[in-house]
Amino acid sequence: MPRRNALLHQKFGPLVRIGPNHVSASSEDAVQVIHRAKTGFNKSSIYGILQPRLHNQILHNVFSEQDPAIHARLKRTMGSLYTTTAATELEFHIDSCVRLFTSRMEEFAREPGKAVNMSAWLQYYAFDSLGEVNFSRKLGFLASGTDVDGICELDHKQMMYFALMGQSPTLERCWSRISSLAGARAPNPLYTFTLNAVNERKNNPMHSTDMLNSFLALHKASPEKFSIREVIAATYINVVTAHDVLAITLRAILYYLCRNLSASQKLCEEIIQADRSKLLSKPAKYTEASGLKYLSAVILEALRIHPSTGLILERLVPKEGVVLHGKHIVEGTIIGVNCWVMNRDQGIFGDDAESFRPERWIDNEPQVISRMRRNLFTFSTGSRNCIGKNLAMMQITKIIVEIYRNFEVRLFDPSQDWHVSGGWLTRQTQMDMILESRRVDESSHS
């Protein structure tokens, strides 16, 4: 769907009707009107499908909440916990997962030519690092090297269900009621883990710097502003919405670098030179790694060329309707911008927007780079942008440094393309890789 959506815009322009009541929009003006102006348009009912529930009552959260007043209250209450400064206080949790991931990859590297299912292992890192950051506890993916409790498989099925049934939320509500009455809904082990973790922490407080303790502190200070139900919702959403963004972005970085050897070489040289110059701790601190210009360019380019969402980010046209590109779009129409389309706008990102070229984030004029950054739509924008962006960037940056600092990475079978899911999420599989440890003289040890 994402590539088809992009082709439709190339053929028909910035506004394309993709369903009886759905319009895909792609332009700077559209982003400004739909997402940035005032509070932006309200989210559509598709997001209601992703609303977690407790005792059959909705758990309000910053991702799937459709009521703008509730969303604004939650964001005001929690916003300070998602700043770069706040994320830095959680960095030691990520370090723990980076070390474990690197250790597991070293095991593979000791077996020359062994295929590593990198698609799965990057997902494992995402889940465990989010478990550490939120609960001071890994979920066990990296230690076992397996899909713990089938969480990955179940999550994939849920996202495919969401992509399909989200096209008819009314039908989904009926089907959901029938499934619930029939007892046909499978338990969600990640949600169960979250409930147990919150209840355990309430009953047995522990002194740890993590998101759960921060949420509980907010609740204790103002229970009327931030209920225990909202603590549960916030921790659950932190994990369930973030793990795919992390894993998809990390897969894109490794895959595109394997397909672009000059970019891979430049990145390796930058990291190894920084290591030799004693500019990087072990593992690298975020403040150190974020100063590596080519690394930053690689991450931005991966976020641009392979966003984690493949459908339009649905919004509802408000009561008075809206005029975009000379067309009046009536109230109630579902309209949205697709990250894959916006991130390939040649007028913004260049004539080679279909190509992976990190240099575009370095070689262009400052005003061009500023415009590209402003219109990079992967984390959305405006009041409903991704609240966890700062933490995600830290998790991505730190693991990429250690992968390319310690290993040479190449595709197990360069003749085989990866497989990309075309639903709500653009997950990648079939990207087995070979890891070789770097020689001692290639990378110094601090």
Side-chain angles (χ1 to χ4, degrees):
M1 179 62 187
R3 292 192 179 278
R4 190 176 304 159
N5 202 166
L7 290 172
L8 287 171
H9 278 281
Q10 288 176 17
K11 184 176 181 180
F12 296 110
L15 295 176
V16 178
R17 184 172 293 280
I18 57 173
N21 194 43
H22 287 67
V23 173
S24 175
S26 180
S27 68
E28 288 179 276
D29 289 344
V31 171
Q32 179 63 35
V33 170
I34 298 168
H35 291 277
R36 290 199 184 107
K38 297 181 182 179
T39 58
F41 291 3
N42 292 343
K43 286 191 170 185
S44 76
S45 56
I46 190 174
Y47 290 91
I49 300 173
L50 287 179
Q51 287 274 46
R53 291 174 176 268
L54 180 63
H55 305 315
N56 208 33
Q57 296 294 315
I58 285 173
L59 291 173
H60 298 290
N61 63 86
V62 292
F63 173 71
S64 52
E65 180 58 52
Q66 295 165 254
D67 186 322
I70 295 176
H71 174 266
R73 174 180 61 80
L74 289 172
K75 199 165 185 179
R76 281 195 306 271
T77 303
M78 300 190 301
S80 63
L81 303 183
Y82 293 89
T83 64
T84 300
T85 300
T88 302
E89 294 175 1
L90 302 170
E91 187 169 2
F92 72 98
H93 288 300
I94 303 170
D95 286 341
S96 167
C97 293
V98 167
R99 291 189 187 97
L100 181 53
F101 179 90
T102 304
S103 174
R104 297 309 311 266
M105 294 304 104
E106 286 171 349
E107 295 174 23
F108 290 119
R110 286 195 285 269
E111 299 182 54
K114 183 177 180 63
V116 182
N117 183 355
M118 197 58 74
S119 175
W121 278 98
L122 293 172
Q123 189 91 55
Y124 298 164
Y125 164 76
F127 266 122
D128 270 356
S129 63
L130 287 164
E132 274 285 343
V133 163
N134 283 280
F135 308 106
S136 296
R137 186 194 308 175
K138 298 178 185 66
L139 279 71
F141 287 92
L142 290 173
S144 68
T146 62
D147 179 8
V148 177
D149 293 332
I151 288 173
C152 296
E153 179 63 24
L154 177 62
D155 186 73
H156 176 68
K157 289 178 179 177
Q158 287 179 329
M159 288 299 101
M160 294 304 291
Y161 174 88
F162 171 66
L164 177 63
M165 299 300 282
Q167 305 310 303
S168 179
T170 302
L171 177 62
E172 193 281 332
R173 284 193 293 272
C174 295
W175 176 252
S176 180
R177 289 194 189 99
I178 293 170
S179 299
S180 180
L181 290 171
R185 287 205 154 188
N188 182 336
L190 187 59
Y191 182 57
T192 301
F193 174 89
T194 302
L195 282 177
N196 291 339
V198 174
N199 288 328
E200 181 181 333
R201 187 72 62 85
K202 280 173 57 190
N203 296 329
N204 302 287
M206 61 179 284
H207 298 289
S208 178
T209 303
D210 58 22
M211 293 296 285
L212 177 53
N213 267 359
S214 296
F215 290 140
L216 287 171
L218 288 178
H219 168 65
K220 185 177 180 180
S222 302
E224 72 286 353
K225 290 184 179 179
F226 198 65
S227 69
I228 196 65
R229 293 174 60 86
E230 288 163 344
V231 171
I232 295 168
T235 47
Y236 176 65
I237 288 296
N238 271 359
V239 179
V240 79
T241 61
H243 73 88
D244 269 313
V245 176
L246 284 174
I248 289 170
T249 303
L250 291 170
R251 292 185 197 120
I253 292 169
L254 266 66
Y255 184 80
Y256 277 103
L257 286 174
C258 283
R259 290 296 188 193
N260 294 265
L261 297 185
S262 65
S264 178
Q265 184 176 353
K266 288 180 183 178
L267 178 63
C268 292
E269 288 175 353
E270 181 180 60
I271 292 172
I272 291 169
Q273 183 55 48
D275 193 19
R276 286 174 177 164
S277 301
K278 308 295 185 183
L279 298 177
L280 300 178
S281 305
K282 205 164 184 71
K285 296 177 182 177
Y286 184 53
T287 52
E288 300 165 345
S290 56
L292 301 178
K293 290 184 179 180
Y294 199 76
L295 170 63
S296 296
V298 165
I299 294 171
L300 286 170
E301 187 68 349
L303 287 166
R304 183 192 70 81
I305 204 165
H306 197 106
S308 57
T309 52
L311 302 180
I312 63 172
L313 304 185
E314 291 190 8
R315 301 292 187 266
L316 278 175
V317 174
K319 195 169 185 179
E320 64 275 13
V322 67
V323 175
L324 274 174
H325 300 287
K327 304 289 185 182
H328 181 258
I329 303 170
V330 299
E331 171 191 357
T333 302
I334 295 173
I335 192 169
V337 176
N338 187 317
C339 302
W340 279 65
V341 182
M342 194 65 204
N343 287 1
R344 283 168 165 73
D345 189 316
Q346 293 183 6
I348 299 170
F349 297 100
D351 294 340
D352 62 346
E354 288 289 340
S355 300
F356 179 83
R357 190 175 67 83
E359 288 76 10
R360 78 178 75 248
W361 299 95
I362 299 172
D363 296 343
N364 275 307
E365 294 295 322
Q367 64 269 25
V368 175
I369 295 174
S370 177
R371 186 184 179 202
M372 290 195 300
R373 284 179 173 272
R374 189 170 61 253
N375 287 285
L376 183 66
F377 199 62
T378 304
F379 288 111
S380 189
T381 189
S383 64
R384 301 304 297 253
N385 70 335
C386 176
I387 195 172
K389 175 183 175 180
N390 295 319
L391 182 59
M393 291 299 289
M394 179 182 290
Q395 291 168 297
I396 291 165
T397 301
K398 288 173 67 69
I399 193 67
I400 292 299
V401 168
E402 299 310 320
I403 289 173
Y404 285 93
R405 178 193 219 174
N406 291 286
F407 306 103
E408 293 181 15
V409 186
R410 68 179 189 272
L411 290 169
F412 178 75
D413 182 2
S415 67
Q416 176 182 308
D417 290 332
W418 64 356
H419 177 265
V420 177
S421 170
W424 170 252
L425 294 173
T426 57
R427 285 173 169 153
Q428 317 98 318
T429 53
Q430 299 175 23
M431 48 174 287
D432 288 0
M433 294 181 178
I434 296 173
L435 301 180
E436 293 182 11
S437 294
R438 292 197 180 279
R439 298 190 305 272
V440 174
D441 61 345
E442 284 184 290
S443 180
S444 63
H445 296 277
S446 55

